[in-house]
Amino acid sequence: RVETSAAPDKPGSADAATGASQPVLAADVSSVTAASAEARHLSRQRAAADKRAGSSSSGATWRPPSGESLRFYSEFESMNLHRVHRVGETEYNLSMAIDTHTRGHTQWYYFRVRGARAGVPYRFNLINMQKGRSLYENGLRPLLYSEKRAAVEGVGWHRAGDDVCYYANFFPRTLPNGKQRSYFTLSFTVSFPHGGDTCYLAHCYPYTVTDLRHDLDSLTATDEGKRLVRRQLLC
C-alpha cells in the first residue's frame, strides 16, 4: 500500500491531511509481517557485507566511480544533511547533522537531490543513526517528493524505496557516560520516476517553522480564531 498526498506548494509545506496517520487495515497485517521479515533479512545481509568491507579495506585499492554523480543540497529550511561520500557507481554514504541542543541525536533525515537518471536504482546508506531499533525494521519506507511528478500527476509526498534495512555498523561512537557503542545504518534504494528532476527524501512529512508561523497567522486572522487561540512571544 502506497501513501500519497496532494502536492503541497513546496516541500516542507504540510497540512493536517498530509501529516495524518493512516490506519492499518486487517488485510494489511500479512503484508506488514512479510515486509518486517524481509527487512530483518536484508539488514543481516547488509551488516555482514559491511563487516567484510571493513575488515578488507586496508589492503584494497580504491578506484573512484565513473559517470556523473548525484548532486545533494542542504541549504533549505529544516534540512539536516551534513556530509555525503560516493562509494559506488550509484551508492552513497550519508551522514546527518545532529539535532540542535542535544548530545548527538540523529535519527531522521531531510535533503534534496538532483541529477538522477529515471528508473535507475540508487542506494543511500545513512550511516550515523543512533537508535538500536527502528520502524524501518518493520516495513517503514522513506518519503519521496518529485517536483516533476507533482507537476504532471499531482502526486506529492509518498512512501517509496526498496531493499530497506536497518542494522548496527562498524563506526564507533562514545556515549555521554564514556561507554563505546556502534552507529546504525539505514540503507535503502530509490528509483526516481523522472530524469532531470529535483527530488526530496525525508523520514516523515516535513513541517517547518515557516509552516507553523503560517498556520498560526491563519488561526488568529479571524475573530473566531482569536477567541480560541491566544498567541504571545515567549522569548
Side-chain angles (χ1 to χ4, degrees):
R1 191 165 60 117
V2 176
E3 296 177 21
T4 60
S5 63
D9 293 336
K10 64 180 185 306
S13 298
D15 54 24
T18 304
S21 59
Q22 302 293 327
V24 177
L25 305 179
D28 294 330
V29 173
S30 60
S31 61
V32 170
T33 303
S36 300
E38 181 181 4
R40 288 193 295 270
H41 175 66
L42 288 170
S43 296
R44 289 193 293 268
Q45 287 185 325
R46 294 289 301 180
D50 272 10
K51 287 180 180 178
R52 289 194 299 270
S55 63
S56 61
S57 60
S58 59
T61 301
W62 185 82
R63 291 183 174 85
S66 61
E68 188 173 349
S69 174
L70 296 180
R71 300 185 300 279
F72 295 81
Y73 300 84
S74 59
E75 80 286 14
F76 56 94
E77 188 177 13
S78 290
M79 67 78 203
N80 72 331
L81 179 63
H82 177 61
R83 181 181 294 116
V84 180
H85 290 145
R86 187 182 184 189
V87 295
E89 292 297 324
T90 57
E91 184 170 3
Y92 298 83
N93 284 353
L94 289 72
S95 297
M96 300 298 113
I98 63 173
D99 286 353
T100 305
H101 303 306
T102 71
R103 294 183 176 181
H105 181 268
T106 52
Q107 198 57 36
W108 59 281
Y109 53 94
Y110 183 25
F111 58 91
R112 179 169 64 208
V113 62
R114 290 174 178 161
R117 290 169 288 165
V120 174
Y122 293 88
R123 177 164 290 279
F124 301 95
N125 306 311
L126 283 60
I127 62 174
N128 66 329
M129 302 288 100
Q130 295 197 15
K131 289 179 64 177
R133 302 299 302 272
S134 171
L135 289 175
Y136 289 102
E137 297 176 276
N138 298 311
L140 182 65
R141 301 165 72 199
L143 275 167
L144 173 65
Y145 182 94
S146 160
E147 289 189 354
K148 283 192 174 182
R149 190 175 185 191
V152 174
E153 304 176 42
V155 176
W157 287 104
H158 60 284
R159 295 289 175 185
D162 297 297
D163 299 333
V164 181
C165 49
Y166 188 87
Y167 57 92
N169 59 39
F170 56 85
F171 298 112
R173 64 187 176 101
T174 303
L175 301 180
N177 60 12
K179 292 184 178 180
Q180 294 291 316
R181 292 288 187 273
S182 65
Y183 282 103
F184 289 79
T185 294
L186 167 62
S187 181
F188 55 85
T189 61
V190 173
S191 297
F192 297 98
H194 299 278
D197 198 2
T198 296
C199 294
Y200 298 77
L201 285 162
H203 171 66
C204 58
Y205 297 98
Y207 187 79
T208 67
V209 173
T210 299
D211 293 327
L212 174 61
R213 289 174 175 171
H214 178 269
D215 289 343
L216 290 175
D217 289 341
S218 299
L219 288 171
T220 56
T222 63
D223 292 337
E224 179 66 14
K226 292 177 182 178
R227 186 179 68 84
L228 299 173
V229 178
R230 183 176 64 185
R231 183 179 182 183
Q232 66 185 70
L233 186 65
L234 294 179
C235 58

